[in-house]
Amino acid sequence: MATLVFVANRFGAEKRIDVPEGGEIVDISDHHFAPIPFSCRSASCGTCQVEVLEGEDLLEPMNDAEADLIPLLGGKGRLACQARVKPGVEGVIRLRSVLAT
C-alpha cells in the first residue's frame, strides 16, 4: 500500500495517510485535512503545486493539462489536483506544498 506523507512546513511536521486504492492527491488531502491548498481543481491556477520529495515513481505520469502548466510555474513539482497515486503500489510518497515553503 502507498502512504502519502504531507510535510507541512520546513520544520518537518508531517501528516501520514495510507492510500491503498490510489487516487487524486487533492481529493485525498481534502478528505483527510492535509496541508495542501487548492482552488480550481482544473490545472489552471497552480495553487496546489507540490514538491515531490520522495516517491515520484508511485505517481501516474502527468496529463496534458498538468504538463502545460508546470513549466509556467518554474518547471518542477506536480499539481495535486492532477497528480494521481497509482493503485496498488507500495511505498512512500512525500510531498510539500510549494506555497508552504
Side-chain angles (χ1 to χ4, degrees), residues 77-89:
R78 297 292 302 265
L79 298 176
C81 70
Q82 302 299 302
R84 294 184 57 82
V85 178
K86 294 176 184 175
V89 295

Side-chain angles (χ1 to χ4, degrees), residues 33-53:
F33 304 105
I36 301 294
F38 61 91
S39 181
C40 71
R41 292 183 174 256
S42 63
S44 61
C45 73
T47 302
C48 65
Q49 184 181 11
V50 292
E51 180 182 1
V52 181
L53 304 171

